Amino acid sequence: MAPLVALALTASSADVRPPVHHSPVGADKPADTASVVTRAKAENCDPLRSLKPPARMPEPGGRMPSGTAMERIVARGRLIVGVDQNTFLFGYRDPTTGQLDGLDIDLVREISKSLFGRPDRVQFKTVPSRRRIEVLERGEVDLVAHSMTITCERMERVLFSSDYLDSGQRVLVPDASPAKTLADLAGQDVCTAQGTTSLDALRRARPKVRPVVVADWTDCLVLLQLGDVAAVSTTDNVLAGLSAQDPATRITGPRFTYEPHGLAVAKDAPELVGFVNGVLAQLRTSGGLRALHEQWLGEYGDFYPPAPRYLP
């Protein structure tokens, strides 16, 4: 798997700086190592539990249960999915082929196989992080596969599959940086993407950092290369892709959040969540999910698929 080549930056690169703004730092409590699960208990929800898969999955390419989202999707002839095209290893456009690729993209193809009996019956719609929930609520897509953290706040608006990836927020800095943790960046500009849990964590951080907010993670990498920010901070699975694009950077510090990831579905399609969970369960049993983790993330850290947990 060839690395995605980062932008070659020169002194004239100031002309291509992505639009940014400094996010006001809120008065929230400090970010610490308390997990999503701990916060969830106080909010009376469990982000790690999803709907059970059906006792028996429909045959791929066969008749789907009547009146379900799966039946409507098969009748339409394609699965419509909101994805990223800027996150290397998860959802990115391969510059050599022009095609979308990555772990999330491969998971979508597995869902297509279970619906249609073939992996290519997918219409990909690229969406920025800030619109991931909106496109589901507006009915523009059937599901979202976009390196999305499961949170109680998001569960009020969408449904999530079982957790297919665990990660945590860290920081990416240039090799020459003396910073070893987020605290070492106090008072400095740290880049993150709009509409993400990473931005929330930076706003809670103590000592304070100055969040710089952009549309996409590749914009953060550009700003880091230009010296316009001191670091990038998000989940370490995303940082692994950024670091792979620029070997003159390094991921540093311990995880200071816990981030379970799921595929998101509209609230009115719980049967589709169960179907997706059935696909993920089959991949876990066959070893296919672990193989995808090793294919895309094996050389970047210990990212392995967690065991699923379901609602009673």
Side-chain angles (χ1 to χ4, degrees):
M1 180 175 59
L4 184 67
V5 178
L7 291 177
L9 299 174
T10 66
S12 62
S13 296
D15 296 334
V16 296
R17 279 181 168 81
V20 302
H21 67 271
H22 285 76
S23 173
V25 179
D28 299 326
K29 293 181 179 179
D32 54 29
T33 55
S35 72
V36 169
V37 178
T38 301
R39 296 195 300 271
K41 289 179 180 177
E43 299 174 31
N44 197 29
C45 85
D46 186 347
L48 296 184
R49 292 190 183 274
S50 184
L51 298 173
K52 291 180 179 178
R56 182 173 181 176
M57 288 284 284
E59 288 295 320
R63 187 178 184 86
M64 294 292 141
S66 178
T68 64
M70 295 83 76
E71 183 185 49
R72 295 191 294 273
I73 291 167
V74 170
R76 182 203 297 143
R78 67 192 187 282
L79 174 68
I80 306 175
V81 186
V83 297
D84 195 2
Q85 64 174 352
N86 293 296
T87 302
F88 186 45
L89 306 178
F90 285 86
Y92 72 100
R93 197 168 295 280
D94 190 320
T96 62
T97 66
Q99 301 300 308
L100 290 169
D101 216 344
L103 174 61
D104 286 340
I105 305 301
D106 279 349
L107 287 178
V108 170
R109 292 187 175 119
E110 292 293 337
I111 296 169
S112 174
K113 283 168 62 175
S114 293
L115 285 167
F116 298 100
R118 49 188 290 183
D120 59 350
R121 301 295 287 272
V122 183
Q123 177 184 344
F124 292 110
K125 295 189 70 169
T126 58
V127 296
S129 296
R130 61 182 173 80
R131 292 199 67 232
R132 289 178 294 191
I133 291 178
E134 177 189 337
V135 294
L136 282 169
E137 292 181 327
R138 293 168 63 95
E140 297 177 19
V141 299
D142 299 310
L143 60 91
V144 167
H146 199 305
S147 190
M148 195 167 179
T149 299
I150 307 168
T151 69
C152 291
E153 181 181 11
R154 289 172 174 172
M155 288 170 66
E156 294 178 359
R157 299 176 62 186
V158 297
L159 300 173
F160 282 99
S161 72
S162 60
D163 178 12
Y164 70 91
L165 171 80
D166 284 343
S167 65
Q169 190 165 344
R170 298 176 68 191
V171 292
L172 180 77
V173 296
D175 279 338
S177 171
K180 295 182 179 180
T181 68
L182 183 67
D184 294 335
L185 297 163
Q188 299 183 60
D189 291 337
V190 178
C191 190
T192 195
Q194 186 176 5
T196 64
T197 56
S198 302
L199 174 57
D200 296 335
L202 289 184
R203 285 172 171 164
R204 291 193 300 267
R206 298 292 185 274
K208 294 181 180 180
V209 297
R210 292 196 300 265
V212 173
V213 186
V214 296
D216 296 305
W217 294 117
T218 47
D219 294 335
C220 277
L221 183 58
V222 171
L223 293 181
L224 187 69
Q225 292 170 323
L226 289 167
D228 288 350
V229 297
V232 180
S233 185
T234 185
T235 51
D236 47 6
N237 58 304
V238 173
L239 294 181
L242 296 180
S243 184
Q245 293 176 77
D246 188 343
T249 63
R250 59 184 169 85
I251 302 170
T252 190
R255 290 176 173 177
F256 54 92
T257 66
Y258 169 65
E259 312 274 347
H261 286 66
L263 306 175
V265 174
K267 276 277 195 178
D268 62 359
E271 73 280 7
L272 182 55
V273 177
F275 182 87
V276 169
N277 282 342
V279 176
L280 292 174
Q282 290 174 340
L283 288 172
R284 287 186 177 96
T285 300
S286 68
L289 187 56
R290 185 181 181 98
L292 286 175
H293 277 68
E294 291 178 347
Q295 173 189 342
W296 289 107
L297 301 170
E299 59 185 288
Y300 301 109
D302 296 326
F303 299 101
Y304 293 104
R309 294 170 59 185
Y310 303 117
L311 294 166

